[in-house]
Each structure stands twice: as structure tokens, then as C-alpha cells.
Amino acid sequence: MNKQGKKKNASSAGARARGQSNQRPSSCCGKVRPASGVDAGPLAWFNDMVDHCLDYAAAQKKQGKHIVGLTCEYTPRELILAAGGIPVCLCGGDEGMIPAAEEFLPSNLCPLIKSTFGYSVRKENPFLELAELVITETTCDGKKKMYELMAGNRRMYVLELTQKPDDPDALAHWIAELRKLGGVLAEQFGVRITAGKIRDAIALMNRERTLRRALAELMKAEAPPLTGCELLNMKSIIAGIPADLEQYAKALRVLPGRKLDPPASERIRVLLTGVPMPHGAERVIKIIENNGGLVVCQENCTGIKPILEDVDAGAGDLMLALAEKYFHLPCSVMTPNRRRLDLLRRLVAEYRPQCIVEVIWQACLTYDVESFFVRRLAEEELGRPYLRIETDYSPSDSARIGMRIQALFETIKEHRTK
Amino acid sequence: MIYAGIDAGSRAIKVVLINGRDRRVMGSGIADQGLKQEALASRLFDRVLKRAGVRRRGIRRIVATGWGRDAVTFADTTITEITCQACGVYREQGDAKTVVDIGGQDSKLIRLDTGGKVRDFVMSDRCAAGTGRFLEVVAARLEVPLGSLGELAGLATKPSAINSMCVVFAETEIIGLLASGEKPANIAAGVQASVSARIASMAGRNISEPVVFTGGVALVSGMTQALESALGYPVRVASRAQLTGALGAAILASRPE
């Protein structure tokens, strides 16, 4: 852990101004518009997600809460919340941050890592500038080594994520890591993390996961009431904001029955898997949906993967309960990562996609190599066409990706008319 | 009824006209691609029509394909080159199971189902490695016309190992080889082998015979042999290898919607 270089936090006003210039929420799915007049309030609410998060972070800070950055779904947000922290996802989705990162990092590295680091170099992620602590894990090698550079001027804590998911020793070590993290948070923020606080945090996160899961499950319908882009857009980078939870609940009331234009029946149902698509890096999902697809399921860390399992708030050993939930995440850094294949089997049965599209950020070795198993599962076992797209944040290959998506859809339609 | 397919590729535009009754080819033409894509396609189309003695309004339906397909605004619809290639190759070689198409700026490998339907496909990603553009750069560097690259490669005694898959780096590598006194023939053979190896690795182990080779690069001498030795299967060059995409587009145009 690196304790040096604790930065003075940027004023929230300055941070906000920067946030507005650099983190504009992207409007999703330009061509695709809902047709019916049903209240689209919750969808519109999340168009201003970054602004809401900035307001919330500033207000919470004023009340003595601590902004804590995280860069991976393995970080248990519950522990941060229980320590009086506000967990914010720092994953970078902006291509514009990459050149600054490449002054320090190799260009042949995943764009997510470079963009996240570029924000740090340029001090342009207002949430990172507000953060008192950044919690990370030893996930992929690229991230792990980038954190060493980031630790030069940020207060960071690295959890050692063990990577043999079925090994009891690995879980035991992970539990020990979470206990240490609890100690670090308690010490840094001068609080006692009580079982009651952890339980409250678990209940809050369970509520958020339950709502987001229910939204994702709307896509199981023959005619889903929203697009994959819209669903992705309803993800907040700060967990547990009460106003967000209200909007999720409202969305669940108003969205069913909403009709898409073009209608779902004319689109190809797609299951998206692979790397996460952080805010600002939604390009591929837009290409899929603008070319006649409907992404009914997103098996990735910005989709359904981290919200499938809840934590037992009534468990006797809360640390164990937390550790288990997070350790079950089927990320490609795990070996072997059978849980991901099992999850794909289940999601294909539940969401009935007509094809599987895997997105791999360039130089993401673990997802790239693991795509061998995903393709085999898709084509040989599940009988679904599989398309692998390796790309980065630059739009230079959008036409090529679009062409491949179109060709995939043509093939599926051709076989349907057989 | 007459139907037209226009394949607006990155380096060349191809037009094919077919008769809807028997789907026989009534005319075809090839022109260089350029800046004014729509005008170039239109001019070529008119030329092919004139030669075939057909008027524009005699054309029932036009399908555009290829990278520039959206620029062909006078087409009735567009279909991707994957689907069109498969259809065109099926028409030319009905027993084909695998299509290797190497065009100006990308390479594709298409596996066919029965009836010329696409089973699956893989394509080269962002860069120009293993494409016609790559061979053009190399030919220019070795100061031979693209068409003579194979003849030059035929004189090789020991093909050079070209490792760079990036067209820019490969050029640098070739400059280095030339500087160290390597024979151009060895370099030419090495480049053809490296392009073919790229296709083979893209294919993985998913090759079924017969393999049919299409696209402009299929016409470059020596490439078929290089591809055969990389894939380990015999490779047939499609008749009308450069026109199969446009042919497929014309056939698809003639299908009831």
C-alpha cells in the first residue's frame, strides 16, 4: 500500500466544471427511438448520470463521507459503504485520455487501462480527484502494473485477488484480504466498521442489485421494452444513490409494455459477452443495435455479471458472505473460469439470443485467450453463431465492425428462411 | 428481367449483370476505385450496360456490396460482401466449402453450408496485414509490377522470414532485408508465405475442402501456391475470381424479396 502523496482534493465546483467538459454522458442509440408515449422519465434521468453523481459526491463529502474509487467489480462496495465511504467506479471510457497515458504506458495495452490511467495523469476525472482512497485488485497484469504507476501520486490499496476459484485456500486468502481492507478503511477514516453497518450496506446493495437485475430481466421478454444501450445507460458509477434506486423502481413500473421502433420482432437478439463497456465506451453495442440487433443480455461487468448474486445480510460471518459473493464473479482472470461458461449456458437459455457477440479490448490477454472456450461453447454446444470483435476505443474500425455485424445478421436471417 | 450487382471494393469496383430467367451473366466490368466513389461506380455501370445493350430502366433491381456499398446510392439495397461472396462462389463452384477472399484492404475466410449459405466467417481486424494493399506495398518496394510478384517469388532459393504482420513494419523489415543484401526473389516469396500464414492462422483448424480463392489477390501469381502450402489443402482459384462478390450481389438482387 502506498501512503504517500495524498492529494489535496479538487474543489467540487472545479471538479464539476471539468466533469462537464470531459465526462458528458453519451446519448445512446442515435437511430433507435422508443415509439410509444409511455413515460420515459427513468431513461432520461440516467442521461445526466454523471452530473447526478457529481452532485451526490459533493453533497456527501460535505456531510463528512469519504469518496473511495474502485476499478473492478471484485471490490466489495459494502465494506466501503460500511466505513462511511462513497464507492465510485473510476474505469475510463474516454478515448481522449489515452495519449496522456501512453506517455507512461505501452501503447499495446488495453484501452480501459490506458483511459483510466490517462484520467489520473491529466487529473480530469473529478471523482478520482475527490477520492481519498482508490481500492484495486490484482486482476489482470496490465491493471496490476498500471496501479504501481498510479500509486505514485494517489493513495491506493491493492487487494490480492486469488485466482483459483474452486480452491478453498484461495477463498480463505481472499477473506483475509477483505478483513485487511476493513482494517485499512477503519483506520483511514477513523471509524469502527460494525456488523450492523455492514448489514445495512449489504441490504442497500442487495436492493440495488435486485432492482437492476429485474430491469435486465425485462429483456427476457419476446418484445423487450428497452434496448441494450438504454439498459447500459441506466448504470450509475456511484453505487447506492437513493434517487437512482427510486428511478430503477419507477422504470420497473413504467417500462413494461413500451414498444421499440423498429419493433423487437424485426431485430436479431444478441447476447453480448467479453470485456466491460465503461461509460463513454458504448460504441460496439451502439453499432450492434444500429444495424438491426437488440442486445438482450450483457454478460460482462457493466452488465449482468456482478448483479446476479446477492449477499446474505443475515449471515453469521458477514466477511465470509461478502467474500463468497465477490469471489464468485467469473472474470477471465480466474483459472479455470468454468463459472463463466456455466453462466453463459444459463443466460442463453433464459434470454434466448440468436447469436453471441464477444467484445475484447485490444491487448486484453485473458479475455482474448478465453474466447477460444466461448466460441466452442457457442458454436458446438449451444448452436449459436459467434462473432468475436477485437477493438479499442478509437472509432476507426466502426465501419468494419458494422459490416461484420450485418453479415452475421444476414447469415442468421438466411438460415431462418431455410 | 435483368439484375445488377455492384461490388464497390477498396481498390476496384466490379459490376455484373445477370439475366433473371436463367441467371446467366450478361455483362461485367472492373474499374479502379477512387475518390469520387459514386461517380466511378455509375460510370462503370453505364459502360457495362452499354456493352450489354441494356438501358438503366431495363434493370429490375440493383444490389451494392463491398466497402463502398453505401456510396452507391442508385442501388436498391445493400448486402454485405460476406453474403455476396458466398452466393457468388456457390454459383461458380457449387461444391465449395471454404472461401478465402483476399481483397484490397481485408481478408476473409467464409465457410459455406449447403445451398451457398454462410455457415460462419472470420475476418482480419483493423490492419492491412495479409491483404492486397500489403502486397502492393511490397511489390512497389521491390520495384516489380504486382502481377509479376509470383514470377519473382518463383526464383527464390530461400524465402525470407517476414515476421511483421503490420504493413508499415513489414515495409521497414523489407528495407532492412534489402539493405543486408537479401535477394528480392527471397523477399517476395517470404512475403507471400507470410500473407498465407496469416490466413491460415485466421482459419484456425476450420478448413473444409474444397477451398476456393477469390478477390483481387487470387489473381496475383504465386499466391495460390503459397496459400496451398500454408493451409495444407489444395486451393482453387474461382473462375471470375475478382467478380464473385458482384455476381453474388446480382444473384441476390434477382431473388424475390
PDB file of all heavy atoms in Angstrom, chain B residues 191-227:
ATOM      1  N   VAL B 191       7.235 -12.847 -48.374  1.00  0.00           N
ATOM      2  CA  VAL B 191       6.031 -12.050 -48.155  1.00  0.00           C
ATOM      3  C   VAL B 191       4.781 -12.852 -48.500  1.00  0.00           C
ATOM      4  O   VAL B 191       3.785 -12.852 -47.765  1.00  0.00           O
ATOM      5  CB  VAL B 191       6.108 -10.746 -48.982  1.00  0.00           C
ATOM      6  CG1 VAL B 191       4.739 -10.109 -49.099  1.00  0.00           C
ATOM      7  CG2 VAL B 191       7.091  -9.778 -48.342  1.00  0.00           C
ATOM      8  N   GLN B 192       4.829 -13.569 -49.595  1.00  0.00           N
ATOM      9  CA  GLN B 192       3.657 -14.368 -49.979  1.00  0.00           C
ATOM     10  C   GLN B 192       3.382 -15.439 -48.928  1.00  0.00           C
ATOM     11  O   GLN B 192       2.229 -15.727 -48.601  1.00  0.00           O
ATOM     12  CB  GLN B 192       3.868 -14.989 -51.365  1.00  0.00           C
ATOM     13  CG  GLN B 192       3.904 -13.918 -52.458  1.00  0.00           C
ATOM     14  CD  GLN B 192       3.580 -14.459 -53.830  1.00  0.00           C
ATOM     15  OE1 GLN B 192       3.833 -15.622 -54.120  1.00  0.00           O
ATOM     16  NE2 GLN B 192       3.031 -13.608 -54.686  1.00  0.00           N
ATOM     17  N   ALA B 193       4.460 -16.014 -48.413  1.00  0.00           N
ATOM     18  CA  ALA B 193       4.289 -17.040 -47.375  1.00  0.00           C
ATOM     19  C   ALA B 193       3.705 -16.421 -46.110  1.00  0.00           C
ATOM     20  O   ALA B 193       2.856 -17.026 -45.447  1.00  0.00           O
ATOM     21  CB  ALA B 193       5.627 -17.714 -47.075  1.00  0.00           C
ATOM     22  N   SER B 194       4.131 -15.199 -45.789  1.00  0.00           N
ATOM     23  CA  SER B 194       3.645 -14.611 -44.540  1.00  0.00           C
ATOM     24  C   SER B 194       2.179 -14.201 -44.650  1.00  0.00           C
ATOM     25  O   SER B 194       1.410 -14.334 -43.698  1.00  0.00           O
ATOM     26  CB  SER B 194       4.547 -13.453 -44.082  1.00  0.00           C
ATOM     27  OG  SER B 194       4.074 -12.221 -44.541  1.00  0.00           O
ATOM     28  N   VAL B 195       1.774 -13.716 -45.830  1.00  0.00           N
ATOM     29  CA  VAL B 195       0.356 -13.399 -46.040  1.00  0.00           C
ATOM     30  C   VAL B 195      -0.478 -14.675 -45.907  1.00  0.00           C
ATOM     31  O   VAL B 195      -1.530 -14.700 -45.252  1.00  0.00           O
ATOM     32  CB  VAL B 195       0.129 -12.755 -47.430  1.00  0.00           C
ATOM     33  CG1 VAL B 195      -1.349 -12.688 -47.769  1.00  0.00           C
ATOM     34  CG2 VAL B 195       0.745 -11.359 -47.470  1.00  0.00           C
ATOM     35  N   SER B 196       0.017 -15.746 -46.479  1.00  0.00           N
ATOM     36  CA  SER B 196      -0.722 -17.014 -46.440  1.00  0.00           C
ATOM     37  C   SER B 196      -0.783 -17.575 -45.027  1.00  0.00           C
ATOM     38  O   SER B 196      -1.808 -18.124 -44.615  1.00  0.00           O
ATOM     39  CB  SER B 196      -0.065 -18.031 -47.373  1.00  0.00           C
ATOM     40  OG  SER B 196       0.003 -17.493 -48.671  1.00  0.00           O
ATOM     41  N   ALA B 197       0.317 -17.419 -44.296  1.00  0.00           N
ATOM     42  CA  ALA B 197       0.344 -17.917 -42.917  1.00  0.00           C
ATOM     43  C   ALA B 197      -0.683 -17.166 -42.076  1.00  0.00           C
ATOM     44  O   ALA B 197      -1.333 -17.735 -41.208  1.00  0.00           O
ATOM     45  CB  ALA B 197       1.741 -17.748 -42.326  1.00  0.00           C
ATOM     46  N   ARG B 198      -0.824 -15.890 -42.386  1.00  0.00           N
ATOM     47  CA  ARG B 198      -1.814 -15.074 -41.676  1.00  0.00           C
ATOM     48  C   ARG B 198      -3.232 -15.623 -41.909  1.00  0.00           C
ATOM     49  O   ARG B 198      -4.045 -15.708 -40.995  1.00  0.00           O
ATOM     50  CB  ARG B 198      -1.683 -13.647 -42.204  1.00  0.00           C
ATOM     51  CG  ARG B 198      -2.741 -12.706 -41.764  1.00  0.00           C
ATOM     52  CD  ARG B 198      -2.319 -11.997 -40.515  1.00  0.00           C
ATOM     53  NE  ARG B 198      -3.367 -11.103 -40.064  1.00  0.00           N
ATOM     54  CZ  ARG B 198      -3.248 -10.322 -39.011  1.00  0.00           C
ATOM     55  NH1 ARG B 198      -2.135 -10.331 -38.320  1.00  0.00           N
ATOM     56  NH2 ARG B 198      -4.231  -9.553 -38.650  1.00  0.00           N
ATOM     57  N   ILE B 199      -3.506 -15.976 -43.146  1.00  0.00           N
ATOM     58  CA  ILE B 199      -4.827 -16.543 -43.477  1.00  0.00           C
ATOM     59  C   ILE B 199      -5.004 -17.875 -42.745  1.00  0.00           C
ATOM     60  O   ILE B 199      -6.063 -18.165 -42.182  1.00  0.00           O
ATOM     61  CB  ILE B 199      -4.959 -16.777 -45.001  1.00  0.00           C
ATOM     62  CG1 ILE B 199      -4.745 -15.485 -45.774  1.00  0.00           C
ATOM     63  CG2 ILE B 199      -6.315 -17.418 -45.339  1.00  0.00           C
ATOM     64  CD1 ILE B 199      -5.799 -14.444 -45.629  1.00  0.00           C
ATOM     65  N   ALA B 200      -3.941 -18.677 -42.747  1.00  0.00           N
ATOM     66  CA  ALA B 200      -4.035 -19.999 -42.116  1.00  0.00           C
ATOM     67  C   ALA B 200      -4.304 -19.862 -40.625  1.00  0.00           C
ATOM     68  O   ALA B 200      -5.119 -20.606 -40.063  1.00  0.00           O
ATOM     69  CB  ALA B 200      -2.754 -20.792 -42.367  1.00  0.00           C
ATOM     70  N   SER B 201      -3.655 -18.899 -39.971  1.00  0.00           N
ATOM     71  CA  SER B 201      -3.891 -18.777 -38.532  1.00  0.00           C
ATOM     72  C   SER B 201      -5.281 -18.213 -38.262  1.00  0.00           C
ATOM     73  O   SER B 201      -5.932 -18.551 -37.284  1.00  0.00           O
ATOM     74  CB  SER B 201      -2.801 -17.948 -37.859  1.00  0.00           C
ATOM     75  OG  SER B 201      -2.870 -16.624 -38.282  1.00  0.00           O
ATOM     76  N   MET B 202      -5.767 -17.377 -39.179  1.00  0.00           N
ATOM     77  CA  MET B 202      -7.129 -16.865 -39.043  1.00  0.00           C
ATOM     78  C   MET B 202      -8.131 -18.012 -39.145  1.00  0.00           C
ATOM     79  O   MET B 202      -9.148 -18.041 -38.455  1.00  0.00           O
ATOM     80  CB  MET B 202      -7.376 -15.846 -40.156  1.00  0.00           C
ATOM     81  CG  MET B 202      -8.440 -14.849 -39.889  1.00  0.00           C
ATOM     82  SD  MET B 202      -8.315 -13.500 -41.102  1.00  0.00           S
ATOM     83  CE  MET B 202      -9.102 -14.237 -42.518  1.00  0.00           C
ATOM     84  N   ALA B 203      -7.811 -18.963 -40.004  1.00  0.00           N
ATOM     85  CA  ALA B 203      -8.726 -20.085 -40.229  1.00  0.00           C
ATOM     86  C   ALA B 203      -8.762 -21.017 -39.028  1.00  0.00           C
ATOM     87  O   ALA B 203      -9.726 -21.729 -38.821  1.00  0.00           O
ATOM     88  CB  ALA B 203      -8.284 -20.860 -41.470  1.00  0.00           C
ATOM     89  N   GLY B 204      -7.717 -20.996 -38.219  1.00  0.00           N
ATOM     90  CA  GLY B 204      -7.624 -21.975 -37.150  1.00  0.00           C
ATOM     91  C   GLY B 204      -7.595 -23.351 -37.798  1.00  0.00           C
ATOM     92  O   GLY B 204      -6.900 -23.564 -38.779  1.00  0.00           O
ATOM     93  N   ARG B 205      -8.409 -24.246 -37.309  1.00  0.00           N
ATOM     94  CA  ARG B 205      -8.437 -25.561 -37.965  1.00  0.00           C
ATOM     95  C   ARG B 205      -9.737 -25.770 -38.719  1.00  0.00           C
ATOM     96  O   ARG B 205     -10.113 -26.889 -39.026  1.00  0.00           O
ATOM     97  CB  ARG B 205      -8.236 -26.638 -36.909  1.00  0.00           C
ATOM     98  CG  ARG B 205      -6.846 -26.533 -36.347  1.00  0.00           C
ATOM     99  CD  ARG B 205      -6.604 -27.490 -35.236  1.00  0.00           C
ATOM    100  NE  ARG B 205      -5.280 -27.229 -34.685  1.00  0.00           N
ATOM    101  CZ  ARG B 205      -4.817 -27.802 -33.603  1.00  0.00           C
ATOM    102  NH1 ARG B 205      -5.558 -28.684 -32.969  1.00  0.00           N
ATOM    103  NH2 ARG B 205      -3.618 -27.519 -33.158  1.00  0.00           N
ATOM    104  N   ASN B 206     -10.406 -24.673 -38.949  1.00  0.00           N
ATOM    105  CA  ASN B 206     -11.740 -24.796 -39.543  1.00  0.00           C
ATOM    106  C   ASN B 206     -11.725 -24.745 -41.063  1.00  0.00           C
ATOM    107  O   ASN B 206     -12.356 -23.900 -41.669  1.00  0.00           O
ATOM    108  CB  ASN B 206     -12.639 -23.671 -39.022  1.00  0.00           C
ATOM    109  CG  ASN B 206     -12.981 -23.879 -37.566  1.00  0.00           C
ATOM    110  OD1 ASN B 206     -13.088 -25.022 -37.128  1.00  0.00           O
ATOM    111  ND2 ASN B 206     -13.143 -22.796 -36.836  1.00  0.00           N
ATOM    112  N   ILE B 207     -10.999 -25.648 -41.680  1.00  0.00           N
ATOM    113  CA  ILE B 207     -10.972 -25.656 -43.133  1.00  0.00           C
ATOM    114  C   ILE B 207     -11.663 -26.931 -43.614  1.00  0.00           C
ATOM    115  O   ILE B 207     -11.368 -28.007 -43.130  1.00  0.00           O
ATOM    116  CB  ILE B 207      -9.521 -25.659 -43.652  1.00  0.00           C
ATOM    117  CG1 ILE B 207      -8.802 -24.395 -43.170  1.00  0.00           C
ATOM    118  CG2 ILE B 207      -9.484 -25.795 -45.148  1.00  0.00           C
ATOM    119  CD1 ILE B 207      -8.738 -23.279 -44.133  1.00  0.00           C
ATOM    120  N   SER B 208     -12.614 -26.774 -44.525  1.00  0.00           N
ATOM    121  CA  SER B 208     -13.153 -27.945 -45.194  1.00  0.00           C
ATOM    122  C   SER B 208     -12.927 -27.782 -46.678  1.00  0.00           C
ATOM    123  O   SER B 208     -12.994 -26.670 -47.196  1.00  0.00           O
ATOM    124  CB  SER B 208     -14.653 -28.114 -44.945  1.00  0.00           C
ATOM    125  OG  SER B 208     -15.024 -27.589 -43.705  1.00  0.00           O
ATOM    126  N   GLU B 209     -12.649 -28.871 -47.341  1.00  0.00           N
ATOM    127  CA  GLU B 209     -12.423 -28.830 -48.785  1.00  0.00           C
ATOM    128  C   GLU B 209     -13.755 -28.905 -49.511  1.00  0.00           C
ATOM    129  O   GLU B 209     -14.700 -29.456 -48.965  1.00  0.00           O
ATOM    130  CB  GLU B 209     -11.563 -30.029 -49.186  1.00  0.00           C
ATOM    131  CG  GLU B 209     -10.102 -29.862 -48.856  1.00  0.00           C
ATOM    132  CD  GLU B 209      -9.330 -31.055 -49.363  1.00  0.00           C
ATOM    133  OE1 GLU B 209      -9.275 -32.083 -48.667  1.00  0.00           O
ATOM    134  OE2 GLU B 209      -8.811 -30.942 -50.497  1.00  0.00           O
ATOM    135  N   PRO B 210     -13.786 -28.455 -50.732  1.00  0.00           N
ATOM    136  CA  PRO B 210     -12.763 -27.697 -51.459  1.00  0.00           C
ATOM    137  C   PRO B 210     -12.662 -26.235 -51.002  1.00  0.00           C
ATOM    138  O   PRO B 210     -13.648 -25.655 -50.583  1.00  0.00           O
ATOM    139  CB  PRO B 210     -13.248 -27.757 -52.905  1.00  0.00           C
ATOM    140  CG  PRO B 210     -14.521 -28.495 -52.919  1.00  0.00           C
ATOM    141  CD  PRO B 210     -14.933 -28.806 -51.546  1.00  0.00           C
ATOM    142  N   VAL B 211     -11.424 -25.732 -51.129  1.00  0.00           N
ATOM    143  CA  VAL B 211     -11.158 -24.339 -50.780  1.00  0.00           C
ATOM    144  C   VAL B 211     -11.113 -23.517 -52.072  1.00  0.00           C
ATOM    145  O   VAL B 211     -10.402 -23.883 -53.008  1.00  0.00           O
ATOM    146  CB  VAL B 211      -9.812 -24.204 -50.041  1.00  0.00           C
ATOM    147  CG1 VAL B 211      -9.541 -22.747 -49.679  1.00  0.00           C
ATOM    148  CG2 VAL B 211      -9.779 -25.089 -48.813  1.00  0.00           C
ATOM    149  N   VAL B 212     -11.884 -22.451 -52.107  1.00  0.00           N
ATOM    150  CA  VAL B 212     -11.917 -21.612 -53.302  1.00  0.00           C
ATOM    151  C   VAL B 212     -11.373 -20.226 -52.946  1.00  0.00           C
ATOM    152  O   VAL B 212     -11.714 -19.658 -51.914  1.00  0.00           O
ATOM    153  CB  VAL B 212     -13.358 -21.513 -53.858  1.00  0.00           C
ATOM    154  CG1 VAL B 212     -13.432 -20.518 -54.993  1.00  0.00           C
ATOM    155  CG2 VAL B 212     -13.828 -22.884 -54.316  1.00  0.00           C
ATOM    156  N   PHE B 213     -10.529 -19.726 -53.811  1.00  0.00           N
ATOM    157  CA  PHE B 213      -9.802 -18.486 -53.583  1.00  0.00           C
ATOM    158  C   PHE B 213     -10.421 -17.391 -54.462  1.00  0.00           C
ATOM    159  O   PHE B 213     -10.550 -17.568 -55.667  1.00  0.00           O
ATOM    160  CB  PHE B 213      -8.334 -18.736 -53.959  1.00  0.00           C
ATOM    161  CG  PHE B 213      -7.338 -17.677 -53.534  1.00  0.00           C
ATOM    162  CD1 PHE B 213      -7.689 -16.618 -52.709  1.00  0.00           C
ATOM    163  CD2 PHE B 213      -6.004 -17.783 -53.954  1.00  0.00           C
ATOM    164  CE1 PHE B 213      -6.750 -15.673 -52.327  1.00  0.00           C
ATOM    165  CE2 PHE B 213      -5.057 -16.842 -53.572  1.00  0.00           C
ATOM    166  CZ  PHE B 213      -5.434 -15.791 -52.770  1.00  0.00           C
ATOM    167  N   THR B 214     -10.815 -16.273 -53.844  1.00  0.00           N
ATOM    168  CA  THR B 214     -11.400 -15.164 -54.611  1.00  0.00           C
ATOM    169  C   THR B 214     -10.740 -13.850 -54.216  1.00  0.00           C
ATOM    170  O   THR B 214      -9.929 -13.800 -53.305  1.00  0.00           O
ATOM    171  CB  THR B 214     -12.913 -15.022 -54.343  1.00  0.00           C
ATOM    172  OG1 THR B 214     -13.098 -14.627 -52.976  1.00  0.00           O
ATOM    173  CG2 THR B 214     -13.661 -16.305 -54.593  1.00  0.00           C
ATOM    174  N   GLY B 215     -11.163 -12.805 -54.901  1.00  0.00           N
ATOM    175  CA  GLY B 215     -10.631 -11.469 -54.622  1.00  0.00           C
ATOM    176  C   GLY B 215      -9.452 -11.174 -55.530  1.00  0.00           C
ATOM    177  O   GLY B 215      -8.872 -12.080 -56.145  1.00  0.00           O
ATOM    178  N   GLY B 216      -9.106  -9.914 -55.594  1.00  0.00           N
ATOM    179  CA  GLY B 216      -8.038  -9.495 -56.493  1.00  0.00           C
ATOM    180  C   GLY B 216      -6.734 -10.234 -56.255  1.00  0.00           C
ATOM    181  O   GLY B 216      -5.991 -10.541 -57.200  1.00  0.00           O
ATOM    182  N   VAL B 217      -6.449 -10.564 -55.004  1.00  0.00           N
ATOM    183  CA  VAL B 217      -5.169 -11.207 -54.685  1.00  0.00           C
ATOM    184  C   VAL B 217      -5.100 -12.631 -55.243  1.00  0.00           C
ATOM    185  O   VAL B 217      -4.018 -13.157 -55.501  1.00  0.00           O
ATOM    186  CB  VAL B 217      -4.915 -11.163 -53.158  1.00  0.00           C
ATOM    187  CG1 VAL B 217      -3.695 -11.979 -52.765  1.00  0.00           C
ATOM    188  CG2 VAL B 217      -4.730  -9.714 -52.711  1.00  0.00           C
ATOM    189  N   ALA B 218      -6.251 -13.235 -55.496  1.00  0.00           N
ATOM    190  CA  ALA B 218      -6.259 -14.572 -56.101  1.00  0.00           C
ATOM    191  C   ALA B 218      -5.616 -14.539 -57.483  1.00  0.00           C
ATOM    192  O   ALA B 218      -5.172 -15.564 -58.005  1.00  0.00           O
ATOM    193  CB  ALA B 218      -7.689 -15.103 -56.191  1.00  0.00           C
ATOM    194  N   LEU B 219      -5.585 -13.357 -58.095  1.00  0.00           N
ATOM    195  CA  LEU B 219      -5.019 -13.240 -59.440  1.00  0.00           C
ATOM    196  C   LEU B 219      -3.524 -12.950 -59.420  1.00  0.00           C
ATOM    197  O   LEU B 219      -2.879 -12.937 -60.456  1.00  0.00           O
ATOM    198  CB  LEU B 219      -5.745 -12.121 -60.206  1.00  0.00           C
ATOM    199  CG  LEU B 219      -7.272 -12.276 -60.281  1.00  0.00           C
ATOM    200  CD1 LEU B 219      -7.901 -11.061 -60.942  1.00  0.00           C
ATOM    201  CD2 LEU B 219      -7.644 -13.545 -61.032  1.00  0.00           C
ATOM    202  N   VAL B 220      -2.975 -12.701 -58.228  1.00  0.00           N
ATOM    203  CA  VAL B 220      -1.539 -12.417 -58.135  1.00  0.00           C
ATOM    204  C   VAL B 220      -0.797 -13.747 -58.229  1.00  0.00           C
ATOM    205  O   VAL B 220      -1.068 -14.669 -57.449  1.00  0.00           O
ATOM    206  CB  VAL B 220      -1.199 -11.701 -56.810  1.00  0.00           C
ATOM    207  CG1 VAL B 220       0.308 -11.512 -56.660  1.00  0.00           C
ATOM    208  CG2 VAL B 220      -1.912 -10.357 -56.740  1.00  0.00           C
ATOM    209  N   SER B 221       0.120 -13.829 -59.199  1.00  0.00           N
ATOM    210  CA  SER B 221       0.792 -15.108 -59.421  1.00  0.00           C
ATOM    211  C   SER B 221       1.544 -15.537 -58.167  1.00  0.00           C
ATOM    212  O   SER B 221       2.063 -14.711 -57.415  1.00  0.00           O
ATOM    213  CB  SER B 221       1.766 -14.979 -60.587  1.00  0.00           C
ATOM    214  OG  SER B 221       2.735 -13.984 -60.282  1.00  0.00           O
ATOM    215  N   GLY B 222       1.546 -16.819 -57.925  1.00  0.00           N
ATOM    216  CA  GLY B 222       2.295 -17.364 -56.797  1.00  0.00           C
ATOM    217  C   GLY B 222       1.488 -17.446 -55.509  1.00  0.00           C
ATOM    218  O   GLY B 222       1.812 -18.208 -54.608  1.00  0.00           O
ATOM    219  N   MET B 223       0.396 -16.667 -55.410  1.00  0.00           N
ATOM    220  CA  MET B 223      -0.346 -16.644 -54.154  1.00  0.00           C
ATOM    221  C   MET B 223      -1.086 -17.950 -53.891  1.00  0.00           C
ATOM    222  O   MET B 223      -1.215 -18.388 -52.749  1.00  0.00           O
ATOM    223  CB  MET B 223      -1.348 -15.470 -54.129  1.00  0.00           C
ATOM    224  CG  MET B 223      -0.754 -14.159 -53.653  1.00  0.00           C
ATOM    225  SD  MET B 223       0.120 -14.255 -52.071  1.00  0.00           S
ATOM    226  CE  MET B 223      -1.194 -14.749 -50.956  1.00  0.00           C
ATOM    227  N   THR B 224      -1.596 -18.556 -54.957  1.00  0.00           N
ATOM    228  CA  THR B 224      -2.336 -19.814 -54.777  1.00  0.00           C
ATOM    229  C   THR B 224      -1.432 -20.879 -54.168  1.00  0.00           C
ATOM    230  O   THR B 224      -1.807 -21.557 -53.203  1.00  0.00           O
ATOM    231  CB  THR B 224      -2.889 -20.289 -56.124  1.00  0.00           C
ATOM    232  OG1 THR B 224      -3.575 -19.202 -56.720  1.00  0.00           O
ATOM    233  CG2 THR B 224      -3.840 -21.458 -55.942  1.00  0.00           C
ATOM    234  N   GLN B 225      -0.229 -20.995 -54.729  1.00  0.00           N
ATOM    235  CA  GLN B 225       0.713 -21.999 -54.218  1.00  0.00           C
ATOM    236  C   GLN B 225       1.103 -21.687 -52.775  1.00  0.00           C
ATOM    237  O   GLN B 225       1.176 -22.596 -51.939  1.00  0.00           O
ATOM    238  CB  GLN B 225       1.982 -22.039 -55.088  1.00  0.00           C
ATOM    239  CG  GLN B 225       1.765 -22.552 -56.506  1.00  0.00           C
ATOM    240  CD  GLN B 225       1.245 -21.462 -57.456  1.00  0.00           C
ATOM    241  OE1 GLN B 225       0.640 -20.470 -57.033  1.00  0.00           O
ATOM    242  NE2 GLN B 225       1.471 -21.654 -58.751  1.00  0.00           N
ATOM    243  N   ALA B 226       1.330 -20.397 -52.510  1.00  0.00           N
ATOM    244  CA  ALA B 226       1.713 -20.016 -51.146  1.00  0.00           C
ATOM    245  C   ALA B 226       0.588 -20.357 -50.176  1.00  0.00           C
ATOM    246  O   ALA B 226       0.821 -20.859 -49.072  1.00  0.00           O
ATOM    247  CB  ALA B 226       2.033 -18.523 -51.088  1.00  0.00           C
ATOM    248  N   LEU B 227      -0.642 -20.129 -50.601  1.00  0.00           N
ATOM    249  CA  LEU B 227      -1.802 -20.408 -49.752  1.00  0.00           C
ATOM    250  C   LEU B 227      -1.963 -21.919 -49.542  1.00  0.00           C
ATOM    251  O   LEU B 227      -2.249 -22.379 -48.436  1.00  0.00           O
ATOM    252  CB  LEU B 227      -3.051 -19.814 -50.407  1.00  0.00           C
ATOM    253  CG  LEU B 227      -4.287 -19.628 -49.537  1.00  0.00           C
ATOM    254  CD1 LEU B 227      -3.981 -18.745 -48.334  1.00  0.00           C
ATOM    255  CD2 LEU B 227      -5.415 -19.002 -50.352  1.00  0.00           C
TER     256      LEU B 227
END
